[in-house]
Amino acid sequence: MYSLSGLRNAVGAIAWFLLGMSRLANAYCECGYSVNKTSDSSFALFTDLLENDFLHTRTTNFTAVGWRPQEYNVSAKDARGPFGKQFVPENIEANPLKDPYSWAGNSDRGGDAGLQLWVRGDHSHGFVSGAEMASVRDDALYGSFRVAMRLSGSAGTCGAFFWFYNNSQEIDMEFLSKQFNSSQGVVNLVLQTPQSVKEGFDASNTSDFKVQPLPFRPDQEFHEYRFDWSPQKVSFYVDGGWLQDFTENIPSESGRMFMNHWSNGDPLWSAGPPGQDTALIVSYIKAYFNSSDTARQKDYKTRCPTVDATKVCQIPDQIVAPNPSGANGNKTAHTYFFSLDGGYAPNQTVYNTTNATRNSALRGFASSSSTFAYVPLFIALFSWAIST
């Protein structure tokens, strides 16, 4: 039988616990997001985020989730190929999972779930129809930029994830399906610089171009491709593994993120074009960056007047391929989103897809920084209090 003093202690323990949780909740990520621990020498802090969970995004209005489909034509002459390039919004389509609680399985229209960027096989009108989208945000100045995607396996397309300010300040990860062999692939790591402009917009003739072999075919599974950009260097990664550092001609202006998938038949680059419709599929985009926008900078100073390491959230490294296929697909594709975890995206624009997805995300990620991790502590305190 419990004593009155024990019950009083229990009430006191509960009040102390809830007050502590309130303080912790108020401190979640207020001072931003970090690559590596704040105690590490390679620590980098970013104030803003943009996260998209395309496995669960069901929309035709992509601007509403932070991305603007592009619509324009480039003549064959200007595209430097036998065909022109044509980008139309209709070539960007959402294909989410049918089950909003799952992270793998059947999609609405069949095939791999995710955002589809199509290159069309009919180019009888002299243009190859492809897809491109740009982030609504144009204020990204340094950051960590990540995409999980499966490339097209049809020979003759180029798929790219990149940041862009202008033709002499651009950071690219580009994939040419013609470079995939039976077991391996390649990613082209590129900085477009004033030197590449002088070379006729051909970065391959500069030091800021690396052809990086990959130990897998990018068209067979989803992998995370990432670049971290600081004033000193641009570092490239795949599934959390470091590939290359570029330390010269580092961009210094703010700009937008882009995704595209295209072909113009140029045998020196995209090759092709493909004879049938083919898609690049994106399962997520995650970006953590500093903003050049004065209003966003003011917002940050309001919620974080002085940087406090206890109010900085470390960005999890994706160290395995976030692939939804296979026996463990529901686990490997289930990656962490701050914006799906209540309270971890203070004063950020977030694109929660459904409550089901959010609940599923929280079930899978009761991490050490989450309130759920403190439940055992609460139980222990309550048991101690009522036993005294």
Side-chain angles (χ1 to χ4, degrees), residues 212-328:
Q212 176 69 47
L214 298 171
F216 55 81
R217 282 189 57 141
D219 61 313
Q220 292 182 341
E221 292 184 341
F222 287 78
H223 293 269
E224 183 189 83
Y225 304 96
R226 163 185 161 195
F227 56 87
D228 291 356
W229 166 36
S230 73
Q232 293 77 35
K233 64 181 178 179
V234 176
S235 301
F236 294 93
Y237 302 82
V238 171
D239 294 332
W242 175 82
L243 298 178
Q244 292 276 351
D245 284 346
F246 287 9
T247 58
E248 299 179 353
N249 301 307
I250 305 303
S252 58
E253 301 290 342
S254 58
R256 302 180 191 272
M257 291 164 283
F258 282 79
M259 288 286 313
N260 67 19
H261 189 208
W262 59 275
S263 179
N264 68 341
D266 179 2
L268 300 179
W269 192 248
S270 73
Q276 60 184 9
D277 294 355
T278 185
L280 175 161
I281 304 175
V282 180
S283 64
Y284 66 73
I285 295 176
K286 303 176 183 180
Y288 310 92
F289 56 93
N290 292 328
S291 174
S292 63
D293 182 78
T294 54
R296 292 299 302 159
Q297 293 171 357
K298 183 179 179 180
D299 287 340
Y300 178 73
K301 292 300 291 184
T302 299
R303 68 180 184 270
C304 181
T306 302
V307 175
D308 179 348
T310 66
K311 298 181 180 181
V312 174
C313 293
Q314 184 179 349
I315 306 163
D317 285 336
Q318 183 63 35
I319 58 176
V320 298
N323 190 49
S325 64
N328 295 319

Side-chain angles (χ1 to χ4, degrees), residues 42-290:
S42 55
F43 159 73
L45 174 64
F46 303 114
T47 63
D48 286 51
L49 64 74
L50 171 65
E51 294 180 328
N52 293 102
D53 165 24
F54 287 119
L55 290 178
H56 301 97
T57 297
R58 181 173 282 104
T59 187
T60 57
N61 183 5
F62 295 105
T63 302
V65 295
W67 292 90
R68 185 170 291 120
Q70 302 296 289
E71 185 169 14
Y72 65 93
N73 291 347
V74 181
S75 69
K77 178 181 178 182
D78 290 340
R80 299 186 296 278
F83 294 89
K85 296 190 293 185
Q86 180 185 60
F87 294 102
V88 294
E90 303 85 76
N91 288 341
I92 302 174
E93 296 181 325
N95 185 31
L97 291 164
K98 288 184 176 181
D99 181 358
Y101 288 96
S102 180
W103 293 81
N106 295 327
S107 64
D108 275 1
R109 297 199 312 275
D112 287 332
L115 185 69
Q116 299 172 325
L117 278 69
W118 289 94
V119 169
R120 302 302 181 181
D122 180 7
H123 37 82
S124 58
H125 57 309
F127 288 83
V128 182
S129 183
E132 180 174 275
M133 63 182 191
S135 62
V136 173
R137 295 282 295 266
D138 65 353
D139 56 328
L141 179 61
Y142 310 122
S144 182
F145 306 89
R146 308 163 185 220
V147 63
M149 61 182 174
R150 180 179 67 74
L151 278 298
S152 167
S154 295
T157 73
C158 175
F161 175 58
F162 60 106
W163 170 93
F164 179 85
Y165 169 68
N166 63 19
N167 289 329
S168 63
Q169 294 200 55
E170 182 177 340
I171 304 169
D172 288 315
M173 299 185 80
E174 300 195 49
F175 299 82
L176 305 178
S177 55
K178 73 174 185 180
Q179 293 178 319
F180 305 163
N181 62 30
S182 59
S183 61
Q184 293 180 314
V186 161
V187 56
N188 297 278
L189 310 176
V190 187
L191 296 187
Q192 298 290 353
T193 67
Q195 183 61 35
S196 64
V197 174
K198 291 180 181 178
E199 295 290 337
F201 303 99
D202 185 358
S204 64
N205 293 324
T206 74
S207 61
D208 299 303
F209 180 95
K210 302 291 183 183
V211 179
Q212 176 69 47
L214 298 171
F216 55 81
R217 282 189 57 141
D219 61 313
Q220 292 182 341
E221 292 184 341
F222 287 78
H223 293 269
E224 183 189 83
Y225 304 96
R226 163 185 161 195
F227 56 87
D228 291 356
W229 166 36
S230 73
Q232 293 77 35
K233 64 181 178 179
V234 176
S235 301
F236 294 93
Y237 302 82
V238 171
D239 294 332
W242 175 82
L243 298 178
Q244 292 276 351
D245 284 346
F246 287 9
T247 58
E248 299 179 353
N249 301 307
I250 305 303
S252 58
E253 301 290 342
S254 58
R256 302 180 191 272
M257 291 164 283
F258 282 79
M259 288 286 313
N260 67 19
H261 189 208
W262 59 275
S263 179
N264 68 341
D266 179 2
L268 300 179
W269 192 248
S270 73
Q276 60 184 9
D277 294 355
T278 185
L280 175 161
I281 304 175
V282 180
S283 64
Y284 66 73
I285 295 176
K286 303 176 183 180
Y288 310 92
F289 56 93
N290 292 328

